Amino acid sequence: MPATKKNIKADHYSLQSGLLLKANIIKNGLDTSRLVNLITVFSSPEDFKMAGYPFPPHLFFVSDISFNETVGILINKFNKTKDWAIKQIQLWYASFNLQRISEEHIEKFIPLIREINEAIVKELGESYMIGEEDIRIIACFLKEGVNIVHSFDKGFKETCKELNMNIADIPIKDSQREKDIKKKLFGRE
């Protein structure tokens, strides 16, 4: 049965790291843009404290798609080696016990996400269009029952908001620090 805005809000139970989690756990989804930002802006996970996100009830999730996208972005946009990129991602996963979400069983969410994003683009403009990878990441978040989304992408955030997910406020200084690093490396943002 295809997903609709009405039937995506069900009680969720999942098995993560040997724990059965109920719906009252706050599930945070990190988009690729935020994962890249954390890795490039903070020299280590210890330098970044998830202030306001006590463990539990907050758990953090990243789709398998974001893992691969982050490796590519760190190599191509930040001039890092593949080995360095993979090690940094694994360090963040281990430090915050990030849970990976597979792409299995997300197909039922895809049409709804496309439909909602198309309506957003029609109302707010082309700059809110999201790509196929973002659609699949959002589908992973829906499958897992993510409550709060962390992203810099306005189209991604607006689509998630329409799907009844909350959007985390990300400090502007984190975004600016990433831009400064890109500018220093390549002379551009």
Side-chain angles (χ1 to χ4, degrees):
M1 175 168 112
T4 65
K5 281 179 82 171
K6 290 182 180 179
N7 71 9
I8 61 172
K9 285 301 233 183
D11 283 339
H12 294 277
Y13 291 88
S14 63
L15 187 62
Q16 298 292 335
S17 300
L19 299 171
L20 184 62
L21 303 177
K22 293 183 182 180
N24 63 348
I25 296 292
I26 300 168
K27 295 181 176 184
N28 293 266
L30 299 177
D31 178 29
T32 305
S33 64
R34 185 56 170 153
L35 185 57
V36 167
N37 175 264
L38 291 173
I39 292 169
T40 59
V41 168
F42 299 96
S43 58
S44 74
E46 289 73 34
D47 291 343
F48 175 76
K49 302 296 180 203
M50 289 281 191
Y53 297 101
F55 298 89
H58 286 270
L59 296 175
F60 290 84
F61 294 85
V62 179
S63 75
D64 283 343
I65 300 160
S66 289
F67 181 93
N68 295 326
E69 282 185 336
T70 301
V71 170
I73 290 169
L74 291 171
I75 292 168
N76 297 316
K77 291 192 177 182
F78 291 92
N79 206 24
K80 302 296 182 184
T81 66
K82 183 177 180 180
D83 286 341
W84 184 92
I86 291 171
K87 285 178 185 172
Q88 285 300 304
I89 295 167
Q90 289 172 338
L91 175 66
W92 280 83
Y93 272 69
S95 295
F96 289 104
N97 195 25
L98 294 176
Q99 304 297 311
R100 288 178 75 166
I101 309 170
S102 75
E103 288 188 74
E104 292 178 19
H105 311 295
I106 64 168
E107 294 77 19
K108 69 180 182 177
F109 300 110
I110 303 293
L112 174 63
I113 298 166
R114 275 198 190 108
E115 178 185 320
I116 286 174
N117 185 249
E118 287 169 7
I120 291 167
V121 168
K122 190 174 182 177
E123 180 183 337
L124 300 175
E126 290 292 319
S127 64
Y128 284 81
M129 182 173 286
I130 60 174
E132 286 301 311
E133 297 299 314
D134 285 339
I135 289 170
R136 298 183 77 70
I137 292 168
I138 294 170
C140 288
F141 288 174
L142 288 174
K143 177 184 94 168
E144 187 56 49
V146 164
N147 312 94
I148 301 173
V149 173
H150 301 253
S151 177
F152 287 106
D153 182 320
K154 66 183 179 183
F156 191 96
K157 291 190 296 188
E158 196 64 33
T159 303
C160 289
K161 194 184 311 179
E162 285 295 315
L163 290 163
N164 301 315
M165 288 183 255
N166 297 301
I167 308 303
D169 289 328
I170 299 173
I172 294 170
K173 65 180 170 114
D174 290 358
S175 176
Q176 188 57 50
R177 285 175 67 190
E178 182 180 331
K179 288 177 185 176
D180 292 346
I181 291 167
K182 284 181 189 175
K183 194 171 187 175
K184 194 182 291 185
L185 282 173
F186 301 106
R188 67 183 195 290
E189 292 180 15

